[in-house]
Amino acid sequence: MPEQASRPTMPIPADQVTYLIGTAARAPSVHNTQPWRFRAGDGAIDLYADPRRRLRVDKDGREMLISCGAALFGLRLAVRSLGYLPVVELFPDPPRLRLLARVSLGEPAPMTAGERQLLEALPRRHTHRGPFAPGSVPAGLLAALQHDALAEGATLALIDRSLGYQRLADITSAADRRQRREGDVQEEIRHWSRDPDDRRRDGVPAAAFPTRGYPQPGRLMQRDFDLGRSLGLLQTEGPPAAVTAILLTSVDHRADWLRAGQALQRVLTHAASRWVFASLHTQPLENASIRLLIRDRLSLPGAPQMIMQFGLAHSTRPTPRRSPADLIEL
Ligand SMILES: Cc1cc2nc3c(=O)[nH]c(=O)nc-3n(C[C@H](O)[C@H](O)[C@H](O)COP(=O)(O)O)c2cc1C
């Protein structure tokens, strides 16, 4: 997606601010914490992290920044839909750690057909924890997703179905067993998962997770949001995932986490435009030594940021988001 490097002159249209923030906020975020805030000025929209929503297990804020990076991609796409090139400055005022990016309107340039498809697919994208439909992903899509990741400064490494997958599956299951013994991790999941009658606009809703049913053949162990409470409404039985992939960055600092998030949202939205969805698995990456082990055992050429499995699905169900008015940084 094209961007403009130099400073812009166009003011942000006041009547588009809600649209811009709402589009950004459709992004995935760990446990649907939505750890972002926005400040709209005349000339730019600033994206802030909201550390009150950072998970305790996410000690250095890596998952929070990946989530915010995903929102940043949505904001860029929304700017494109207004007919301008986005001008993006990462960390425009470095001492202000929470201020992650400043996005303004650059030169006018009409949206491309590819960008329009992404925008149309954005509300359809969801984290797919239920069964995939049988079938392989459309020809050429994986190469296109790898190109998306590269264009955002990340790498989408495809994991081979035999040895690579088995190693990853074993490590993921071991990490899951370990986290099940950690009371604070379980408490945090309880805090961010919602029963079917809960009307809150954040957290993972019961409709988006199963009561039980893991592990499934060909599916990596998924995070257990139900925790024996019989809240989950999803079915799980189904064919294996078509593809397993890991999103990598060559370096592992805050800017890389923001890049990984932008790559994640671009890849997931592009896949959704072809009715391909992904389950996301980060519990093994929340432990530094397990993260290193994954990098080592799979000979990955970078730091693993997100683990995902892709497959086909014929329906979608969006999860709730807080309204743009609740996301304003004062
Ligand atoms: C950094 C990050 C880590 C995530 N980790 C997991 C995970 O380990 N397991 C999982 O099922 N979903 C994971 N997710 C998906 C979120 O739970 C999901 O994005 C959120 O609940 C909102 O739902 P949606 O993606 O369907 O819009 C993760 C998302 C992000 C951005």
Side-chain angles (χ1 to χ4, degrees), residues 13-304:
D15 60 351
Q16 298 296 338
V17 168
T18 300
Y19 163 72
L20 291 165
I21 294 177
T23 307
R26 281 308 319 159
S29 60
V30 64
H31 290 15
N32 202 14
T33 48
Q34 305 168 38
W36 42 63
R37 294 183 79 77
F38 302 87
R39 180 181 284 157
D42 277 353
I45 295 194
D46 286 348
L47 167 66
Y48 289 82
D50 184 349
R52 292 167 304 182
R53 291 175 166 265
R54 178 180 62 80
L55 299 184
R56 285 192 301 277
V57 71
D58 180 26
K59 292 189 183 57
D60 48 12
R62 189 182 66 85
E63 293 180 274
M64 178 175 73
L65 261 69
I66 292 177
S67 306
C68 290
L72 176 57
F73 181 78
L75 186 54
R76 287 167 49 204
L77 187 61
V79 167
R80 290 295 297 120
S81 74
L82 299 185
Y84 296 94
L85 295 177
V87 181
V88 180
E89 215 183 328
L90 293 190
F91 306 112
D93 187 2
R96 291 161 73 196
L97 288 178
R98 289 181 48 229
L99 176 55
L100 304 180
R102 176 160 294 155
V103 179
S104 30
L105 306 189
E107 296 292 325
M111 208 181 191
T112 64
E115 289 164 346
R116 190 169 304 287
Q117 280 174 5
L118 288 183
L119 190 73
E120 283 167 8
L122 199 86
R124 190 190 307 158
R125 183 216 57 79
H126 67 277
T127 302
H128 195 83
R129 301 186 188 86
F132 287 120
S136 46
V137 303
L141 179 64
L142 291 177
L145 300 183
Q146 289 186 297
H147 172 269
D148 285 332
L150 279 179
E152 299 295 334
T155 300
L156 188 68
L158 305 182
I159 305 304
D160 72 82
R161 284 168 187 272
S162 50
L163 193 59
Y165 176 76
Q166 202 46 56
R167 282 185 176 158
L168 184 61
D170 291 346
I171 297 172
T172 306
S173 298
D176 184 77
R177 283 195 298 276
R178 186 183 167 131
Q179 278 202 348
R180 279 171 199 268
R181 294 194 298 270
E182 294 175 15
D184 48 343
V185 176
Q186 307 294 298
E187 187 200 313
E188 203 153 45
I189 293 177
R190 256 182 229 107
H191 178 77
W192 286 106
S193 46
R194 306 286 180 240
D195 72 44
D197 299 325
D198 198 315
R199 295 283 165 265
R200 276 174 286 179
R201 311 294 302 165
D202 57 8
V204 184
F209 61 83
T211 290
R212 55 192 203 86
Y214 303 129
Q216 296 280 317
R219 297 289 298 264
L220 294 172
M221 181 64 89
Q222 297 203 46
R223 209 191 280 270
D224 180 6
F225 288 101
D226 190 80
L227 298 174
R229 296 172 294 170
S230 299
L231 302 176
L233 301 175
L234 262 192
Q235 297 302 312
T236 52
E237 303 289 315
V243 177
T244 303
I246 306 186
L247 191 66
L248 312 169
T249 53
S250 52
V251 193
D252 197 23
H253 296 143
R254 295 176 84 227
D256 306 291
W257 303 337
L258 277 184
R259 281 192 199 97
Q262 291 174 83
L264 177 71
Q265 181 67 327
R266 180 163 169 170
V267 163
L268 295 177
T269 309
H270 190 163
S273 75
R274 308 293 302 274
W275 288 90
V276 170
F277 301 96
S279 55
L280 303 176
H281 309 258
T282 49
Q283 67 274 45
L285 304 179
E286 285 165 353
N287 176 293
S289 50
I290 298 178
R291 198 164 167 232
L292 279 176
L293 184 73
I294 290 177
R295 181 175 183 165
D296 183 54
R297 289 283 165 82
L298 281 88
S299 306
L300 297 174

